Amino acid sequence: MKLTIVGCTGSFPGPGSPASCYLLTANDGERQWKIVMDLGSGALGAIQRYTDLEDIDAIFLTHLHPDHCMDLCGLHVAVRWKPGGWGRDRIPVWGPAATADRMATAYGLELDPGMHEEFDFSNWSERQSVQLGPFTVTPYAVNHPVEEAYALRVEVTEPDKEGKAVSRILTYSGDTDSCQGLEDAARNADLFLCEAAFEEGRDDDIKDVHLTGKRAGQAATAAGARRLLLTHIPVWTSQTKVMAEARPEFAGDVAVAVAGVHYTV
């Protein structure tokens, strides 16, 4: 499985990265599949550096804050108005129950049909897995102040160069503070892509919103994750500080996500 960091800045786009957006690519033995986790502000332009929009097989949203979903509005335009027509069926979109109506309202559309002619919306059921090609995606409810917020556990089995089936696990935290759901989602993950938007000391009075580097490291250790990749770091949070906070808490490899970088899981 290949992870491409399309956007990793927290809360709103930064000068070097869009907001949250991650492209996953895997092969089921017959073809390459591409799924997108979150499509936050500024991501729709950047993702076209790595894939044709018509090659996206599905989109999985962790929650409905704009830095995680709002560029679905732009993709709606691309699907609806492409000269000559969109070359595929509606794009499957999994997300919270309010996703379809929220996107229609954001674009000023009537709720019916809203964006249903461009996207095939489905709602998450907590800890109920969705199977698509080589991907199995399972949402875990997490601790963030919005009606529905999920971490996503992505399990993939694909053939290696000798044709032998190899399984890998990537967990993406979405936005969350510490909670059992996050640890369950990241259990034994090969790569834990985990937000660290807050700093110890500076943000101690704000509870149940975001993790610090320290709390991300603690979650990775509790889950038994193998690698920790810190992400969703806003422009006002120091990458150096959240790295320094995480390292004493997690014995495995720790790094900070960088837009445009690819990782093999």
Side-chain angles (χ1 to χ4, degrees):
M1 167 168 46
K2 183 171 80 172
L3 163 67
T4 300
I5 309 295
V6 179
C8 54
T9 298
S11 302
F12 55 88
S17 171
S20 301
C21 184
Y22 308 92
L23 174 66
L24 292 178
T25 305
N27 195 305
D28 65 353
E30 296 183 0
R31 73 170 178 92
Q32 291 287 104
W33 291 74
K34 295 181 179 181
I35 65 171
V36 176
M37 299 189 299
D38 284 343
L39 193 62
S41 347
L44 187 63
I47 199 171
Q48 294 171 78
R49 299 171 188 158
Y50 314 110
T51 184
D52 191 307
L53 296 178
E54 289 184 276
D55 290 338
I56 295 173
D57 289 297
I59 297 169
F60 299 87
L61 301 177
T62 59
H63 64 292
L64 297 180
H65 281 155
D67 58 320
H68 291 260
C69 67
M70 199 47 64
D71 272 21
L72 213 59
C73 290
L75 185 56
H76 145 77
V77 175
V79 175
R80 184 171 184 82
W81 296 107
K82 182 180 178 181
W86 188 251
R88 297 186 66 177
D89 292 336
R90 295 182 297 165
I91 301 174
V93 175
W94 274 267
T99 300
D101 288 355
R102 182 73 59 83
M103 291 300 104
T105 300
Y107 203 80
L109 300 173
E110 297 293 332
L111 299 185
D112 185 12
M115 297 183 183
H116 287 279
E117 294 177 349
E118 292 76 43
F119 302 125
D120 182 10
F121 292 102
S122 297
N123 301 333
W124 290 126
S125 294
E126 206 217 342
R127 304 198 183 206
Q128 297 298 306
S129 299
V130 171
Q131 179 77 45
L132 185 80
F135 298 100
T136 301
V137 183
T138 308
Y140 289 73
V142 290
N143 183 16
H144 193 60
V146 67
E147 190 169 352
E148 291 182 68
Y150 298 99
L152 302 181
R153 179 182 177 89
V154 182
E155 298 168 88
V156 167
T157 299
E158 55 184 341
D160 64 11
K161 293 180 181 178
E162 286 74 39
K164 180 181 177 183
V166 176
S167 297
R168 293 286 185 268
I169 301 168
L170 179 149
T171 294
Y172 167 42
S173 66
D175 284 3
T176 183
D177 202 344
S178 302
C179 63
Q180 188 62 50
L182 178 66
E183 295 178 15
D184 291 347
R187 189 73 59 204
N188 300 321
D190 295 287
L191 179 64
F192 184 19
L193 179 64
C194 187
E195 72 120 293
F198 281 175
E199 293 182 2
E200 292 289 318
R202 188 191 67 185
D203 303 310
D204 293 351
D205 293 336
I206 309 173
K207 306 297 184 186
D208 304 320
V209 179
H210 289 299
L211 295 162
T212 62
K214 178 179 180 178
R215 297 201 291 271
Q218 291 171 339
T221 296
R226 294 177 178 81
R227 297 167 61 192
L228 175 61
L229 188 59
L230 301 173
T231 191
H232 197 275
I233 301 173
V235 294
W236 48 60
T237 293
S238 165
Q239 296 184 3
T240 302
K241 182 161 185 176
V242 296
M243 276 278 289
E245 290 173 357
R247 279 190 165 136
E249 306 295 333
F250 180 65
D253 180 56
V254 183
V256 169
V258 176
V261 173
H262 307 279
Y263 297 84
T264 300
V265 181

